[in-house]
Amino acid sequence: MNRVEIMGVPIDAVDMPKAVDQAVAFFQQENLQVIYTPNTEIVMAAQQDPILLDAIKAANLVIPDGIGLIYASKILNKGLKERVTGVDLMGEVLSYCNQHGKSIYILGGKPGIAEVACKNIQIKFPEICISGFNDGYFQENETAAVIEKINQSNVDILFVGLGAPKQEKWIFQYRDKLKAKIAMGVGGGVDIWAGTVKRAPEVYQKLGLEWFYRLLKEPWRYKRMMSLPKFMIKVLFSKK
Ligand code: UDP
């Protein structure tokens, strides 16, 4: 696999079929394999956050989930070809789990959301084994119990939707304690499967304007999203 660096943050130059092949191979590994799906916001956050950067460096698959990363790669000649979104990869992995009777656990989202997401996943993928779910608003002192519940469930793949960068750091901190084949950070993917958040219509996705749709729907995110133009300016200056 070709791993490139965008502003010091490692990203794998994969397209969707390669990412799926890699994820499938992870089910055969002994130790927990970690998948992250950073966008430009996370790459910017990692500039100021050494733990986040260490977490991403230690991951086994890091897919480019942001159109800004693809633009940056084009400008800097880094070799990332296309955007591979975490939500799409999650869908592909779920389809694999359905075909091979693998089990999933969803950790994240407001109380009740992970359960609805699991129900919807089960309707679409009846052969998937739902090992369990837990909301993402547990307290620090409940972490050991949450991990115990996950470990007792004998799960193959754990989807962690605690929001970024919390989920990346959480997985990094507990990766030696988690008993699963794969842990994947999925951000708002849990809400999308629960139906509480809608994905941008395909036309926005195709034009690379999903971020713009999100800004229209969730205008309060504009502060966080200011990292995108800042990122592009940084990329252009680093080129010079
Ligand atoms: N979330 C969570 N626990 C937290 C903070 C957030 O489970 O302590 C969930 C939140 O409910 C949402 C998801 O994380 O389902 C994504 O949050 P956000 O929109 O902040 O992150 P992004 O989608 O940008 O990664």
Side-chain angles (χ1 to χ4, degrees):
M1 213 166 34
N2 184 16
R3 181 161 279 201
V4 306
E5 276 194 7
I6 304 275
M7 284 188 202
V9 179
I11 313 273
D12 294 315
V14 286
D15 53 13
M16 182 56 86
K18 269 204 194 129
V20 174
D21 282 355
Q22 195 62 55
V24 164
F26 288 167
F27 283 102
Q28 314 307 326
Q29 299 292 316
E30 275 305 308
N31 299 328
L32 183 87
Q33 305 289 302
V34 174
I35 305 177
Y36 292 146
T37 72
N39 56 13
T40 43
E41 240 175 79
I42 292 297
V43 168
M44 285 298 272
Q47 308 298 304
Q48 329 266 352
D49 187 338
I51 296 176
L52 176 60
L53 185 58
D54 284 350
I56 302 175
K57 282 185 172 166
N60 305 89
L61 175 64
V62 185
I63 61 169
D65 185 356
I67 196 69
L69 298 179
I70 307 303
Y71 291 150
S73 164
K74 286 206 170 111
I75 293 166
L76 302 172
N77 240 329
K78 293 282 187 172
L80 296 180
K81 287 194 177 57
E82 61 181 57
R83 181 176 176 223
V84 182
T85 71
V87 186
D88 288 330
L89 181 60
M90 184 179 177
E92 296 289 335
V93 170
L94 286 171
S95 170
Y96 172 83
C97 291
N98 189 48
Q99 284 159 29
H100 295 83
K102 300 284 182 200
S103 56
I104 69 163
Y105 195 109
I106 293 188
L107 172 67
K110 300 209 173 93
I113 298 296
E115 185 174 4
V116 179
C118 283
K119 279 191 182 140
N120 290 338
I121 288 169
Q122 190 79 86
I123 290 167
K124 182 150 188 210
F125 300 114
E127 303 303 325
I128 279 185
C129 171
I130 307 282
S131 289
F133 46 81
N134 202 99
D135 70 74
Y137 290 86
F138 53 91
Q139 301 302 311
E140 185 91 44
N141 62 7
E142 295 170 307
T143 303
V146 168
I147 291 174
E148 185 57 20
K149 214 174 110 184
I150 293 165
N151 290 347
Q152 291 294 326
S153 77
N154 207 9
V155 66
D156 290 311
I157 178 161
L158 170 67
F159 294 108
V160 184
L162 300 176
K166 189 172 174 186
Q167 64 209 2
E168 287 79 8
K169 290 178 171 181
W170 193 88
I171 294 172
F172 183 51
Q173 186 173 358
Y174 298 110
R175 65 183 290 169
D176 295 335
K177 295 203 165 66
L178 290 166
K179 289 200 186 110
K181 295 286 181 194
I182 303 174
M184 175 174 176
V186 291
V190 184
D191 293 298
I192 289 177
W193 276 99
T196 44
V197 172
K198 296 265 172 284
R199 263 197 98 170
E202 218 160 290
V203 56
Y204 286 83
Q205 292 180 37
K206 286 218 170 97
L207 292 173
L209 289 173
E210 212 164 350
W211 61 272
F212 180 64
Y213 179 82
R214 206 155 180 202
L215 185 62
L216 292 178
K217 290 279 163 188
E218 302 169 65
W220 55 87
R221 293 176 72 96
Y222 83 95
K223 260 199 185 146
R224 283 177 63 173
M225 293 179 70
M226 279 310 288
S227 65
L228 183 61
K230 281 187 196 150
F231 171 83
M232 291 316 300
I233 290 165
K234 252 188 139 167
V235 167
L236 288 170
F237 272 100
S238 72
K239 169 97 175 159
K240 276 193 171 173

